Every structure is written in structure tokens, then in C-alpha cells.
Amino acid sequence: MSFGRASRRRFTLLAATAVAGALTLSACGDGNKAGGGGNTNFITGSGGISTVAKADRVAAPKLDGEGLDGKPLDVADYKGKVVVLNVWGSWCGPCRLEAKYFAQVSEETKDQGVQFVGINTRDPERDKAVNFEKDYGVKYPSFYDPIGKLILRFPKGTLNPQAIPSTVVIDRDGKIAARTLQALNADELREMIDPIIAEK
């Protein structure tokens, strides 16, 4: 039995609605969630930053799509760099609080082989997201992902983004190394990414 086009559309819409609903429940929360359950091999520190030992990391999902600028964007283009993924929405208060710090640290670390990439979600109007980046001096690219399709690509039981804001760090080998489910200031962000930058 095969799905018809209408059935596939309905399934995609239902999946997207489920993700949006889950994100609504956790949106702009305090990030004090333990992740995963079961044998996840990650440790959450006192600052809410979860990390995985290098030997236990799993590959990040393929993350590609359209950027806020309307051009194709693919995280695979940054293979060999530390990639800092930040899930945000222009409507999210904690996202506004952390945006200037992300802009600052992205500039400070770009010469160290670090690439920041945003995932803008639940913004039905692209203009609001574009204006958000201008207002906070964000120069790195962001996906435009209004219904959260990219977030669905992260495997369950891994350090997947489960709130808005969330930040996930992918190591130089393309594996998920760290995550937080809360807004960060510059020092907290450096605490999260500096050990991964230092890895050889």
C-alpha cells in the first residue's frame, strides 16, 4: 500500500504540528531539562551544558535547506570546523538576550575554525527574523525553518535541541559534542565551545 500525495502532505503537516506543539511547551523555558533518558552517554554540568566524550559521540544529522537570505545553506559545507548551531525565534525573549553574545563570540572565534549557524524557527514572517539579525549584529547565516523540520532530523536519545533557545555544538568530525537548552551569555558560550575548539 502506498501513500498518496495528499496522505504524505497530511502526515508531514501532522509531524510538523507535533514538533511545533512540543516546542511550544518548552519554548523559552529555563532549560533545566535532563536529556534523553536511557543510555545516552552524556553528562549535564551544573551550568546546564550537556557534553559527550569524544569516543561516544554520534554523527549530526544532515542539515540543509534555505537560509534567511533565500540562498541554499548546508552545514556539510563547514566540515572540519566546529559548528555552533543556535535554535532561535525573533519572538523569544531569551533569544533576544543571548543574540548579542552569540554575535560577539562568533566574531571572536571565526579565526579558530568555528562557524556559527542559526536555525530560525516558528517565525511565520521571514522579515521579522531578518530584522532580528540586523538589530543584534548577527552576521553568520541562519536557516529559515518556520515549522521545525530541521529539528526533527536530530536522532532521539542524542543531544538534540528540545527548546527555544537551544544550542548544539558539532565537532570537527561532524559529531554532536555538546548542547544546552537555555540562553547563554558570552562566558557560558565560551565555556561550552572552548574545550571543543581545543580538541585535536
Side-chain angles (χ1 to χ4, degrees):
M1 183 173 107
S2 65
F3 275 138
R5 181 175 282 159
S7 294
R8 280 195 301 271
R9 249 191 232 130
R10 194 174 307 117
F11 176 78
T12 301
L13 182 61
L14 287 171
T17 303
V19 168
L23 289 174
T24 300
L25 292 174
S26 60
C28 294
D30 61 10
N32 289 329
K33 292 184 169 72
N39 185 19
T40 56
N41 293 324
F42 59 86
I43 300 164
T44 303
S46 58
I49 297 169
S50 302
T51 57
V52 180
K54 197 166 184 177
D56 295 327
R57 294 176 189 165
V58 299
K62 180 163 180 53
L63 297 169
D64 61 339
E66 188 177 322
L68 275 176
D69 60 4
K71 296 176 182 171
L73 181 58
D74 191 338
V75 169
D77 292 342
Y78 305 118
K79 181 105 175 167
K81 292 188 174 196
V82 173
V83 177
V84 180
L85 288 170
N86 179 245
V87 180
W88 63 276
S90 66
W91 45 269
C92 167
C95 301
R96 289 192 289 273
L97 291 174
E98 73 177 4
K100 66 180 179 184
Y101 301 119
F102 277 71
Q104 171 194 330
V105 174
S106 72
E107 290 296 311
E108 293 172 356
T109 58
K110 67 182 176 185
D111 293 337
Q112 296 176 277
V114 178
Q115 176 64 52
F116 279 62
V117 177
I119 300 177
N120 170 257
T121 192
R122 293 186 50 220
D123 263 321
E125 296 172 31
R126 189 186 302 254
D127 288 350
K128 288 183 179 178
V130 169
N131 288 334
F132 176 98
E133 288 194 329
K134 285 180 187 168
D135 291 346
Y136 292 100
V138 174
K139 296 178 183 171
Y140 53 83
S142 284
F143 288 102
Y144 182 57
D145 187 30
I147 60 171
K149 290 188 298 186
L150 291 175
I151 295 165
L152 277 176
R153 294 184 186 177
F154 282 82
K156 287 184 181 177
T158 66
L159 293 179
N160 54 337
Q162 299 173 358
I164 303 168
S166 287
T167 301
V168 174
V169 183
I170 299 171
D171 69 17
R172 288 184 180 88
D173 297 322
K175 295 184 175 180
I176 303 169
R179 176 199 65 191
T180 188
L181 301 175
Q182 61 194 27
L184 299 174
N185 64 30
D187 291 339
E188 293 163 334
L189 184 53
R190 291 303 297 254
E191 179 187 330
M192 183 178 187
I193 66 176
D194 283 351
I196 300 159
I197 293 171
E199 291 176 354
K200 297 298 176 203

